[in-house]
Amino acid sequence: MSKVLLVTGGSRGIGAATAKMANAAGYAVAINYQSDKAAAEAAAQGLKNAIIVQGDVSKPEDVARMFDETEAALGKVTHVFNSAGVTGKSSRLVDAPLEVIRQTIDINLMGAIYVSREAVKRMSTRLGGKGGVIVHVSSAAVVIGSPGEYVWYAASKGGVESLTFGLSKEVVDEGIRVNAVVPGMVETEIHARSSGDAARVERIRPSIPMKRIGKPEEIASVAMFLLGDESSYMTGATVRVSGGR
Ligand code: NAP
Protein backbone atom coordinates (compact mmCIF):
# COMPACT_ATOMS: atom_id res chain seq x y z
CA MET A 1 0.00 0.00 0.00
CA SER A 2 1.40 3.43 -0.89
CA LYS A 3 2.04 5.69 2.07
CA VAL A 4 0.19 9.03 2.15
CA LEU A 5 1.08 11.38 4.99
CA LEU A 6 -0.98 14.43 5.97
CA VAL A 7 1.12 16.87 8.01
CA THR A 8 -0.91 19.51 9.81
CA GLY A 9 1.17 22.64 10.34
CA GLY A 10 3.55 21.26 7.71
CA SER A 11 4.63 24.61 6.33
CA ARG A 12 7.21 25.48 8.97
CA GLY A 13 9.41 24.14 11.76
CA ILE A 14 8.91 20.57 12.98
CA GLY A 15 6.09 19.84 10.53
CA ALA A 16 8.08 21.01 7.51
CA ALA A 17 11.16 19.01 8.55
CA THR A 18 9.03 15.88 8.99
CA ALA A 19 7.27 16.36 5.64
CA LYS A 20 10.64 16.65 3.93
CA MET A 21 12.14 13.62 5.65
CA ALA A 22 9.04 11.51 5.02
CA ASN A 23 8.96 12.49 1.36
CA ALA A 24 12.61 11.49 0.97
CA ALA A 25 11.64 8.12 2.50
CA GLY A 26 8.91 7.58 -0.11
CA TYR A 27 5.77 9.00 1.47
CA ALA A 28 3.43 11.13 -0.65
CA VAL A 29 2.91 14.23 1.48
CA ALA A 30 0.14 16.79 2.00
CA ILE A 31 1.48 19.92 3.67
CA ASN A 32 -1.21 21.77 5.60
CA TYR A 33 -0.95 25.44 6.53
CA GLN A 34 -3.40 27.96 7.87
CA SER A 35 -2.36 31.39 6.63
CA ASP A 36 1.21 31.47 5.30
CA LYS A 37 0.87 30.05 1.78
CA ALA A 38 4.37 31.16 0.76
CA ALA A 39 5.87 29.14 3.62
CA ALA A 40 3.84 26.09 2.56
CA GLU A 41 5.02 26.46 -1.04
CA ALA A 42 8.61 26.75 0.15
CA ALA A 43 8.20 23.60 2.28
CA ALA A 44 6.82 21.69 -0.72
CA GLN A 45 9.50 22.88 -3.11
CA GLY A 46 11.61 20.06 -4.47
CA LEU A 47 9.36 17.33 -3.02
CA LYS A 48 7.81 14.63 -5.23
CA ASN A 49 4.15 13.62 -4.84
CA ALA A 50 3.48 16.56 -2.56
CA ILE A 51 0.64 19.06 -2.32
CA ILE A 52 -0.16 21.99 -0.07
CA VAL A 53 -3.55 22.11 1.65
CA GLN A 54 -4.95 25.20 3.33
CA GLY A 55 -7.10 24.62 6.41
CA ASP A 56 -7.58 25.71 10.00
CA VAL A 57 -7.38 22.67 12.29
CA SER A 58 -9.64 24.40 14.82
CA LYS A 59 -12.49 24.14 12.30
CA PRO A 60 -13.86 20.61 11.85
CA GLU A 61 -15.16 21.39 8.35
CA ASP A 62 -11.67 22.50 7.30
CA VAL A 63 -10.18 19.31 8.71
CA ALA A 64 -12.60 17.14 6.73
CA ARG A 65 -11.81 19.14 3.58
CA MET A 66 -8.05 18.74 4.19
CA PHE A 67 -8.47 14.95 4.19
CA ASP A 68 -10.75 15.11 1.11
CA GLU A 69 -8.28 17.23 -0.87
CA THR A 70 -5.39 14.99 0.14
CA GLU A 71 -7.24 11.84 -0.87
CA ALA A 72 -8.34 13.35 -4.20
CA ALA A 73 -4.75 14.30 -5.08
CA LEU A 74 -2.64 11.56 -3.48
CA GLY A 75 -4.92 8.66 -2.46
CA LYS A 76 -6.12 7.37 0.93
CA VAL A 77 -4.42 8.97 3.92
CA THR A 78 -2.43 6.26 5.70
CA HIS A 79 -0.41 8.43 8.11
CA VAL A 80 -1.06 11.69 9.97
CA PHE A 81 1.52 13.89 11.68
CA ASN A 82 -0.32 16.47 13.72
CA SER A 83 2.12 19.34 14.17
CA ALA A 84 -0.11 22.44 13.91
CA GLY A 85 0.20 24.42 17.10
CA VAL A 86 0.47 27.83 18.73
CA THR A 87 1.44 29.04 22.20
CA GLY A 88 -0.39 32.36 22.32
CA LYS A 89 1.41 35.52 23.45
CA SER A 90 3.48 34.84 26.53
CA SER A 91 2.15 36.16 29.87
CA ARG A 92 0.91 35.15 33.31
CA LEU A 93 -2.46 33.40 33.19
CA VAL A 94 -4.27 36.28 34.90
CA ASP A 95 -2.99 38.74 32.28
CA ALA A 96 -3.78 36.62 29.21
CA PRO A 97 -6.81 37.64 27.16
CA LEU A 98 -9.43 34.89 27.19
CA GLU A 99 -9.44 34.94 23.41
CA VAL A 100 -5.73 33.98 23.33
CA ILE A 101 -6.33 31.13 25.77
CA ARG A 102 -9.40 29.88 23.91
CA GLN A 103 -7.65 30.02 20.53
CA THR A 104 -4.68 28.03 21.83
CA ILE A 105 -6.95 25.30 23.22
CA ASP A 106 -9.02 25.35 20.02
CA ILE A 107 -5.98 24.86 17.76
CA ASN A 108 -3.82 22.57 19.88
CA LEU A 109 -6.39 20.38 21.63
CA MET A 110 -9.66 20.66 19.69
CA GLY A 111 -7.57 20.57 16.48
CA ALA A 112 -5.89 17.33 17.59
CA ILE A 113 -9.32 15.89 18.44
CA TYR A 114 -10.84 16.89 15.07
CA VAL A 115 -7.82 15.56 13.17
CA SER A 116 -7.87 12.27 15.13
CA ARG A 117 -11.61 11.85 14.67
CA GLU A 118 -11.40 12.40 10.92
CA ALA A 119 -8.40 10.07 10.64
CA VAL A 120 -10.17 7.27 12.55
CA LYS A 121 -13.30 7.65 10.37
CA ARG A 122 -11.19 7.03 7.31
CA MET A 123 -8.57 4.56 8.62
CA SER A 124 -10.51 2.27 10.97
CA THR A 125 -10.81 -1.29 9.67
CA ARG A 126 -14.11 -1.43 11.56
CA LEU A 127 -15.40 1.40 9.34
CA GLY A 128 -14.08 -0.07 6.09
CA GLY A 129 -10.62 1.53 6.16
CA LYS A 130 -7.21 -0.11 5.93
CA GLY A 131 -5.69 1.09 9.20
CA GLY A 132 -3.05 3.74 9.71
CA VAL A 133 -0.80 5.70 12.03
CA ILE A 134 -1.38 8.96 13.91
CA VAL A 135 1.48 10.84 15.55
CA HIS A 136 0.72 13.89 17.67
CA VAL A 137 3.14 16.59 18.81
CA SER A 138 2.98 17.25 22.53
CA SER A 139 5.51 19.35 24.49
CA ALA A 140 7.87 19.13 27.45
CA ALA A 141 5.65 21.94 28.76
CA VAL A 142 3.16 19.25 29.87
CA VAL A 143 5.25 18.49 32.95
CA ILE A 144 7.12 21.81 33.26
CA GLY A 145 3.81 23.68 33.15
CA SER A 146 5.29 26.88 31.62
CA PRO A 147 4.57 29.19 34.58
CA GLY A 148 4.70 32.88 33.70
CA GLU A 149 4.76 32.03 30.00
CA TYR A 150 1.69 30.08 28.85
CA VAL A 151 0.23 27.62 31.29
CA TRP A 152 -2.81 27.30 28.99
CA TYR A 153 -0.49 25.99 26.26
CA ALA A 154 0.96 23.40 28.67
CA ALA A 155 -2.61 22.41 29.59
CA SER A 156 -3.60 22.05 25.92
CA LYS A 157 -0.67 19.69 25.34
CA GLY A 158 -1.57 17.72 28.47
CA GLY A 159 -4.89 17.14 26.75
CA VAL A 160 -3.09 15.97 23.62
CA GLU A 161 -1.23 13.35 25.69
CA SER A 162 -4.48 12.11 27.30
CA LEU A 163 -6.00 11.91 23.83
CA THR A 164 -3.01 9.84 22.72
CA PHE A 165 -3.31 7.42 25.67
CA GLY A 166 -7.08 6.94 25.37
CA LEU A 167 -7.49 6.87 21.62
CA SER A 168 -4.62 4.43 21.19
CA LYS A 169 -6.50 1.88 23.30
CA GLU A 170 -9.85 2.68 21.68
CA VAL A 171 -8.65 1.94 18.14
CA VAL A 172 -5.98 -0.68 18.83
CA ASP A 173 -8.16 -3.40 17.27
CA GLU A 174 -8.96 -1.23 14.24
CA GLY A 175 -5.51 -1.18 12.67
CA ILE A 176 -4.56 2.25 13.99
CA ARG A 177 -1.57 3.17 16.16
CA VAL A 178 -1.53 6.50 18.02
CA ASN A 179 1.64 7.92 19.56
CA ALA A 180 3.10 11.32 20.38
CA VAL A 181 6.51 12.91 20.17
CA VAL A 182 7.27 15.28 23.05
CA PRO A 183 9.77 17.98 22.05
CA GLY A 184 11.72 20.20 24.39
CA MET A 185 12.99 23.55 23.13
CA VAL A 186 13.37 23.48 19.34
CA GLU A 187 14.70 26.16 17.03
CA THR A 188 11.62 27.24 15.04
CA GLU A 189 9.68 30.44 14.47
CA ILE A 190 7.05 29.56 17.08
CA HIS A 191 8.91 31.48 19.78
CA ALA A 192 9.03 34.78 17.87
CA ARG A 193 5.80 34.42 15.90
CA SER A 194 3.44 32.85 18.43
CA SER A 195 4.72 33.57 21.94
CA GLY A 196 6.21 36.93 20.92
CA ASP A 197 9.24 36.16 23.10
CA ALA A 198 12.17 35.31 20.80
CA ALA A 199 14.64 35.95 23.65
CA ARG A 200 13.11 33.00 25.53
CA VAL A 201 15.29 30.54 23.63
CA GLU A 202 18.58 31.99 24.93
CA ARG A 203 17.11 32.53 28.40
CA ILE A 204 16.17 28.87 28.77
CA ARG A 205 19.18 27.32 27.05
CA PRO A 206 21.40 27.12 30.19
CA SER A 207 18.73 25.02 31.93
CA ILE A 208 18.79 22.37 29.20
CA PRO A 209 21.13 19.53 30.25
CA MET A 210 22.58 19.33 26.72
CA LYS A 211 23.00 23.13 26.80
CA ARG A 212 21.64 23.54 23.31
CA ILE A 213 18.37 23.98 21.43
CA GLY A 214 17.11 21.09 19.31
CA LYS A 215 16.85 21.24 15.54
CA PRO A 216 13.51 20.46 13.83
CA GLU A 217 15.21 17.49 12.12
CA GLU A 218 16.01 15.99 15.54
CA ILE A 219 12.26 15.83 16.24
CA ALA A 220 11.44 14.75 12.68
CA SER A 221 13.70 11.71 12.90
CA VAL A 222 11.80 10.46 15.96
CA ALA A 223 8.47 11.28 14.28
CA MET A 224 9.63 9.16 11.32
CA PHE A 225 10.32 6.26 13.68
CA LEU A 226 6.83 6.58 15.20
CA LEU A 227 5.20 6.82 11.77
CA GLY A 228 7.08 3.83 10.39
CA ASP A 229 6.88 0.07 10.82
CA GLU A 230 10.00 0.17 13.02
CA SER A 231 7.64 1.18 15.86
CA SER A 232 5.02 -1.49 15.04
CA TYR A 233 4.72 -2.63 18.68
CA MET A 234 4.25 0.93 19.99
CA THR A 235 0.93 2.61 20.62
CA GLY A 236 -0.11 5.07 23.32
CA ALA A 237 3.53 6.07 23.77
CA THR A 238 4.84 9.57 24.40
CA VAL A 239 8.47 9.91 23.40
CA ARG A 240 10.39 12.80 24.94
CA VAL A 241 13.03 14.47 22.75
CA SER A 242 14.29 17.34 24.85
CA GLY A 243 18.05 17.32 25.30
CA GLY A 244 17.46 15.96 28.79
CA ARG A 245 15.15 18.77 29.91
P1 NAP B 1 6.01 26.83 13.88
O1 NAP B 1 7.34 26.84 13.23
O2 NAP B 1 5.44 28.10 14.43
O3 NAP B 1 4.94 26.18 12.87
C1 NAP B 1 3.60 26.12 13.23
C2 NAP B 1 2.83 25.51 12.08
O4 NAP B 1 1.46 25.35 12.49
C3 NAP B 1 2.81 26.37 10.83
O5 NAP B 1 2.84 25.51 9.72
C4 NAP B 1 1.47 27.09 10.92
O6 NAP B 1 0.98 27.48 9.65
C5 NAP B 1 0.63 25.97 11.51
N1 NAP B 1 -0.61 26.42 12.14
C6 NAP B 1 -0.79 27.32 13.14
N2 NAP B 1 -2.09 27.44 13.44
C7 NAP B 1 -2.74 26.60 12.60
C8 NAP B 1 -4.11 26.28 12.42
N3 NAP B 1 -5.09 26.85 13.16
N4 NAP B 1 -4.45 25.36 11.47
C9 NAP B 1 -3.49 24.77 10.72
N5 NAP B 1 -2.17 25.04 10.84
C10 NAP B 1 -1.81 25.95 11.78
O7 NAP B 1 5.95 25.80 15.10
P2 NAP B 1 6.87 24.54 15.51
O8 NAP B 1 7.81 25.01 16.54
O9 NAP B 1 7.32 23.79 14.34
O10 NAP B 1 5.76 23.70 16.30
C11 NAP B 1 5.18 22.53 15.79
C12 NAP B 1 4.52 21.78 16.93
O11 NAP B 1 5.51 21.44 17.89
C13 NAP B 1 3.47 22.61 17.68
O12 NAP B 1 2.38 21.78 18.02
C14 NAP B 1 4.22 23.05 18.92
O13 NAP B 1 3.35 23.30 20.00
C15 NAP B 1 5.11 21.86 19.17
N6 NAP B 1 6.29 22.14 19.99
C16 NAP B 1 7.23 23.03 19.57
C17 NAP B 1 8.35 23.27 20.37
C18 NAP B 1 9.42 24.26 19.98
O14 NAP B 1 10.26 24.60 20.82
N7 NAP B 1 9.45 24.73 18.74
C19 NAP B 1 8.48 22.59 21.58
C20 NAP B 1 7.51 21.69 21.98
C21 NAP B 1 6.42 21.46 21.16
P3 NAP B 1 0.56 29.05 9.35
O15 NAP B 1 1.79 29.85 9.55
O16 NAP B 1 0.06 29.06 7.95
O17 NAP B 1 -0.51 29.37 10.37
Side-chain angles (χ1 to χ4, degrees), residues 9-216:
S11 58
R12 296 203 315 268
I14 293 166
T18 304
K20 188 174 178 186
M21 219 177 262
N23 193 250
Y27 290 75
V29 174
I31 294 174
N32 157 250
Y33 68 102
Q34 187 202 5
S35 55
D36 191 344
K37 187 175 184 190
E41 285 170 344
Q45 201 164 22
L47 305 194
K48 293 192 190 85
N49 287 331
I51 59 165
I52 63 169
V53 186
Q54 193 281 331
D56 180 346
V57 294
S58 71
K59 296 184 178 152
E61 63 278 14
D62 279 23
V63 172
R65 180 178 48 74
M66 284 154 50
F67 276 80
D68 286 343
E69 287 181 17
T70 304
E71 294 190 350
L74 302 173
K76 283 275 174 215
V77 174
T78 56
H79 295 72
V80 172
F81 183 59
N82 182 41
S83 194
V86 295
T87 58
K89 191 173 172 353
S90 187
S91 75
R92 282 164 50 84
L93 180 66
V94 287
D95 299 324
L98 286 178
E99 190 43 38
V100 167
I101 296 171
R102 192 173 291 120
Q103 193 186 35
T104 305
I105 305 282
D106 276 352
I107 294 172
N108 296 1
L109 180 54
M110 292 310 294
I113 289 173
Y114 298 143
V115 167
S116 299
R117 195 165 176 272
E118 203 57 49
V120 170
K121 268 194 213 169
R122 293 161 194 255
M123 291 173 175
S124 166
T125 51
R126 199 165 146 186
L127 301 173
K130 294 208 161 77
V133 181
I134 301 169
V135 177
H136 289 300
V137 182
S138 178
S139 170
V142 169
V143 291
I144 295 167
S146 306
E149 295 187 319
Y150 27 63
V151 295
W152 58 88
Y153 168 79
S156 74
K157 293 294 188 179
V160 170
E161 293 202 6
S162 292
L163 172 70
T164 303
F165 299 141
L167 187 64
S168 66
K169 296 184 178 78
E170 194 168 292
V171 297
V172 72
D173 290 332
E174 298 170 40
I176 305 173
R177 296 191 296 114
V178 188
N179 292 294
V181 61
V182 186
M185 176 80 84
V186 184
E187 199 174 330
T188 72
E189 293 179 48
I190 200 169
H191 312 289
R193 281 170 83 138
S194 192
S195 77
D197 182 11
R200 172 171 189 269
V201 174
E202 282 312 309
R203 202 170 58 241
I204 288 178
R205 191 154 63 95
S207 69
I208 301 170
M210 282 192 188
K211 300 280 184 275
R212 69 175 180 86
I213 310 304
K215 298 185 180 70

